[in-house]
Amino acid sequence: MQNTAAPTPTHCPYCALQCGMNLAPAEGGGVEVLERADFPVNRGALCGKGRTAPAVLARGARLTGPLVRGADGELAPASWEDALDRVASALAGTRARHGADAVGVFGGGGLTNEKAYTLGKFARVALGTSQIDYNGRFCMSSAAAAGTRAFGLDRGLPFPLEDIPRTGCVILVGSNPAETMPPSLRYFTELRDNGGTLIVIDPRRTRTAEQADLHIAPRPGTDLALALGLLHLVVAEGRTDEEYIAGRTTGWEEARAAAMAHWPEYVERITGVPVPQLREAVRMFCEPEAAMVLTARGPEQQSKGTDTVGAWINLCLATGRPGRPYSGYGCLTGQGNGQGGREHGQKADQLPGYRKLDDPEARRHVAEVWGVDPDSLPGPGRSAYELLDALGTDIRALLLMGSNPVVSAPRAAHVEDRIRSLDFLAVADVVLSETAALADVVLPVTQWAEETGTTTSLEGRVLLRRQALTPPEGVRGDLHVMRELAARLGVEKGFSEDPEEVFEELRRASAGGLADYSGITYRRLAAENGVFWPAPEPEEAGAAPHPGTPRLFLDRFAHPDGRARFVPVAHRASAEEPDEEFPLLLTTGRVVSQYQSGAQTRRVAELNAAAPGPFVELHPRLAERLGVAEGDRLAVVSRRGRAYAPARVTGTIRPDTVFMPFHWYGEGRVNTLTNPALDPVSRMPEFKTCAVRVERAVDEVSGRTSPRS
């Protein structure tokens, strides 16, 4: 590897904060992370994952050459020419034998905008398949659907993070930023220092909940009832903003009637939240002039996630919050480029610029940029879980980039079986993930520090990651992979491996769309520390560039009439409720020292020392009833399988609930248990709640329960 001479300003490869950092040459080769105080989001602060990110660049941690599965069934080194030829031949052969939709493409929320854009184009132009989606469907798709329904536009946060300390109250629903994005916690600390209040809604008393003025711990899967109960009280106590409702919204009467069916005592029975807590939350939220509701995976990863988020949006609209300074609704995106990843075409139903694939005008515009006939573009395909579920049957070959569904997908053992049943699997990744280990061809690709490209943070801020390091000789970029495969599939033009060239095309493709990047250039991004979309190109030549839009909806919402939409919703049960056989609720989440499926963070010694493996968190009363002590090996059982992990007994969780983190493969893989029941609108699986039982694990050799440690 060859280092550049001076520190390179760039961004962390992990979560959607996209924290700023500098990379400098390290003694002995590689790079080290230095503080970058000029980036306003993290102001130099980094979590342990960001600090140790260069460890995954090391040869022992990552792939450094292509691998091809031989006649003996083992992966072995191969040349790039051989590997690419095999992938192209398999994809073309599958298409010829079974049709274009027998070839699937699965992307990732960590891919840059340039890669996500090119992957969507590659699927639809080079392969002609409709079968493309990405793991961002498992992130904030319910919030995206609800935001689009209410406001006409989805952007994770419609205001910058810097607005949080300037509001009067924040309700944080199903989010634990102290562990999932630690540098963001300062915004909530500053909120309280400024006299504002923080309400945290979570069935666990997390590190974030410990900072709250009010912690509400509802039963998992009941966030919808909780939001409706709060709105009922807002109406009953005369706290609605009637002038705002009349002037800026539609649909209030229907939404109001739906909420009034959820009286406080009824909501208490469903959620387990005492009525006095409900009343206190309403008082804290309604008394300040400005207030926010921020949701994350807790309410979103449910089979009713879109309606649940919609209920929280209704609460905001009824109190006149969205589109006013330091107020409104927002979603805390999880994955590094979860926002940009779905804006530009790797989602099953979308084209670049947040255009809908079934919109004739959208198809015409994008087809013109791509130089193809609009009628040649396939229609919408399957959502992420539905695509994975169809592997080996309708879909016979799969190209997968930057995702590890063997660990991260719901009902993961079933998904692993479907992947194993494929005729052909090609994986492009930086490490040999558990999914890559099943592939017929593995393509080693560049990482964040070895390439240039853009991402879009949870604020809707488009950012420039800069190359700081030359990749190993045997590694290529994803853009190179797609260009070479397209050429082998007969499409020799239209696929560049120069990220700036790709971004210039993305600008044209997004122009006029909801997520309009046409006024953004690499030069601007470097000079301005990012630009908030939409940022259209000026209509007049020589005019000043559009400043970007850090705050949406101040004048009007994105629906044609400029008004926000109330959507009437009602509580309904989760897809799977406890019963006599499975009497407990399981919820899942992250820990501070691991990230997503752990494919990269589990290769960092410092992070593994802090979080070496899975665990089962359970309340002391439940532990006593089960005869379980701290450290006992437990089996958590659902209708889909078993997972094993040691007990962690704590009073910070509800007695009817157990928690497991989802970063590990093997016997501790919690997604073996999770329910793939889908939200009817967003197609989000119900990761956050399913029915389980907990048992002392039995030693398969002796037949005895595991000893206590």
Side-chain angles (χ1 to χ4, degrees):
M1 297 186 185
Q2 181 181 354
N3 297 317
T4 54
T8 302
T10 189
H11 296 272
C12 178
Y14 291 115
C15 82
L17 281 182
Q18 288 296 280
C19 291
M21 60 170 60
N22 284 319
L23 295 180
E27 291 185 18
V31 291
E32 62 177 335
V33 172
L34 302 178
E35 180 178 302
R36 182 182 168 192
D38 70 309
F39 187 63
V41 171
N42 61 308
R43 306 174 215 166
L46 291 168
C47 72
K49 296 186 291 291
R51 271 192 308 100
T52 61
V56 188
L57 298 166
R59 282 186 173 272
R62 51 95 56 81
L63 294 163
T64 56
L67 302 173
V68 170
R69 195 169 299 280
D72 61 357
E74 300 297 321
L75 288 171
S79 70
W80 268 97
E81 288 300 307
D82 182 32
L84 290 168
D85 286 347
R86 290 196 187 204
V87 176
S89 175
L91 299 182
T94 301
R95 183 174 61 182
R97 290 189 299 273
H98 303 290
D101 278 357
V103 180
V105 177
F106 198 86
L111 300 180
T112 63
N113 288 317
E114 292 80 2
K115 294 177 185 181
Y117 169 84
T118 302
L119 190 61
K121 181 181 179 181
F122 177 82
R124 296 176 175 108
V125 174
L127 292 173
T129 182
S130 67
Q131 300 304 301
I132 176 173
D133 211 83
Y134 83 128
N135 62 15
R137 178 79 68 169
F138 300 156
C139 179
M140 57 174 288
S141 58
S142 293
T148 300
R149 199 161 65 174
F151 307 128
L153 173 67
D154 153 51
R155 195 179 83 186
L157 290 181
F159 40 74
L161 284 162
E162 67 185 42
D163 284 3
I164 291 174
R166 304 166 75 178
T167 193
C169 177
V170 171
I171 300 180
L172 192 59
V173 190
S175 178
N176 182 17
E179 297 205 55
T180 59
M181 44 182 66
S184 72
L185 194 64
R186 70 171 58 192
Y187 293 100
F188 302 100
T189 302
E190 291 170 6
L191 162 74
R192 299 183 71 213
D193 290 344
N194 292 340
T197 55
L198 175 63
I199 302 170
V200 172
I201 297 172
D202 197 304
R204 303 165 62 223
R205 188 167 181 82
T206 63
R207 295 183 187 180
T208 305
E210 289 174 354
Q211 309 299 314
D213 298 280
L214 176 63
H215 172 219
I216 295 175
R219 185 173 177 268
T222 64
D223 307 89
L224 175 53
L226 178 61
L228 288 163
L230 296 180
L231 182 52
H232 176 111
L233 286 171
V234 165
V235 175
E237 295 177 6
R239 295 180 183 271
T240 56
D241 188 330
E242 296 297 329
E243 182 179 354
Y244 175 96
I245 291 170
R248 299 203 63 183
T249 73
T250 63
W252 169 232
E253 290 305 317
E254 294 84 355
R256 178 184 181 278
M260 296 313 288
H262 298 76
W263 60 95
E265 291 75 15
Y266 172 57
V267 170
E268 179 178 5
R269 289 200 301 273
I270 294 170
T271 64
V273 178
V275 171
Q277 275 198 344
L278 299 176
R279 295 189 184 279
E280 178 64 5
V282 167
R283 183 194 66 76
M284 291 170 64
F285 183 67
C286 291
E287 284 187 353
E289 182 178 350
M292 298 174 179
V293 171
L294 304 177
T295 67
R297 307 302 80 75
E300 297 162 17
Q301 287 182 326
Q302 299 185 29
S303 61
K304 51 183 181 291
T306 302
D307 283 355
T308 300
V309 175
W312 290 104
I313 291 174
N314 286 348
L315 177 67
C316 289
L317 290 172
T319 52
R321 306 306 194 182
R324 285 181 166 169
Y326 315 123
S327 281
Y329 164 77
C331 165
L332 298 177
T333 308
Q335 294 193 76
N337 197 32
Q339 182 70 48
R342 70 181 179 281
E343 292 169 4
H344 298 302
Q346 64 172 335
K347 191 162 169 277
D349 58 352
Q350 267 166 216
L351 288 169
Y354 241 141
R355 289 181 161 90
K356 300 297 288 182
L357 190 53
D358 56 5
D359 177 357
E361 177 55 29
R363 294 169 66 88
R364 183 205 63 76
H365 173 85
V366 174
E368 183 177 344
V369 174
W370 288 352
V372 300
D373 184 342
D375 292 337
S376 72
L377 298 178
R382 292 175 172 89
S383 70
Y385 180 77
E386 292 165 304
L387 189 158
L388 295 171
D389 190 42
L391 298 181
T393 53
D394 294 342
I395 299 172
R396 310 297 292 270
L398 181 69
L399 173 64
L400 186 147
M401 285 188 158
S403 184
N404 190 18
V406 163
V407 176
S408 63
R411 198 185 173 197
H414 170 74
V415 168
E416 181 173 347
D417 287 343
R418 300 319 315 145
I419 288 174
R420 290 179 181 274
S421 73
L422 283 164
D423 295 342
F424 180 82
L425 171 65
V427 173
D429 209 332
V430 299
V431 297
L432 190 67
S433 70
E434 287 78 11
T435 305
L438 304 179
D440 297 284
V441 177
V442 182
L443 302 172
V445 291
T446 50
Q447 300 189 51
W448 57 288
E450 301 164 345
E451 60 187 12
T452 294
T454 63
T455 62
T456 306
S457 75
L458 78 171
E459 302 176 296
R461 188 195 302 252
V462 185
L463 302 164
L464 182 64
R465 284 188 192 164
R466 300 165 177 88
Q467 182 178 355
L469 193 65
T470 301
E473 184 179 347
V475 173
R476 304 285 186 270
D478 295 276
L479 296 178
H480 172 87
V481 169
M482 288 184 276
R483 188 195 72 175
E484 291 296 312
L485 290 178
R488 284 165 168 79
L489 292 166
V491 183
E492 297 186 358
K493 295 182 179 180
F495 289 90
S496 172
E497 63 178 296
D498 182 322
E500 190 166 7
E501 284 185 15
V502 175
F503 190 80
E504 288 299 305
E505 183 178 299
L506 183 157
R507 291 176 60 206
R508 299 195 304 275
S510 72
L514 290 171
D516 191 334
Y517 285 28
S518 61
I520 304 174
T521 64
Y522 271 31
R523 180 176 296 182
R524 280 195 71 185
L525 295 177
E528 300 178 30
N529 249 338
V531 178
F532 293 87
W533 71 259
E537 195 166 27
E539 295 182 6
E540 297 182 13
H546 189 284
T549 314
R551 296 173 181 85
L552 297 170
F553 313 138
L554 294 180
D555 300 315
R556 65 191 312 277
F557 295 98
H559 287 297
D561 62 2
R563 291 172 174 262
R565 307 282 192 263
F566 281 99
V567 178
V569 294
H571 170 71
R572 60 184 186 272
S574 298
E576 189 174 83
E577 293 286 345
D579 57 20
E580 187 174 341
E581 184 179 4
F582 300 98
L584 300 169
L585 289 165
L586 168 71
T587 193
T588 69
R590 284 167 49 187
V591 297
V592 67
S593 293
Q594 300 289 352
Y595 181 72
Q596 304 298 72
S597 76
Q600 295 186 45
T601 51
R602 284 187 276 116
R603 286 167 167 78
V604 180
E606 180 180 329
L607 300 179
N608 282 333
F615 55 86
V616 182
E617 194 175 274
L618 70 165
H619 192 275
R621 292 211 300 270
L622 176 59
E624 182 179 8
R625 192 167 81 239
L626 297 172
V628 168
E630 180 79 15
D632 280 353
R633 187 168 181 263
L634 302 180
V636 183
V637 188
S638 80
R639 289 179 172 85
R640 289 155 293 281
R642 290 173 173 263
Y644 297 90
R648 183 173 292 182
V649 181
T650 173
T652 61
I653 191 168
R654 290 175 56 96
D656 58 2
T657 301
V658 294
F659 167 84
M660 289 184 71
F662 57 72
H663 310 291
W664 289 274
Y665 183 61
E667 67 173 19
R669 178 177 61 185
V670 69
N671 277 321
T672 297
L673 310 175
T674 49
N675 192 352
L678 301 180
D679 180 286
V681 180
S682 68
R683 315 309 288 169
M684 166 73 85
E686 192 154 66
F687 286 99
K688 284 301 177 187
T689 179
C690 70
V692 298
R693 67 174 181 267
V694 176
E695 305 169 347
R696 294 277 300 281
V698 176
D699 187 294
E700 294 181 1
V701 177
S702 69
R704 298 174 182 173
T705 57
S706 61
R708 295 182 179 178
S709 56

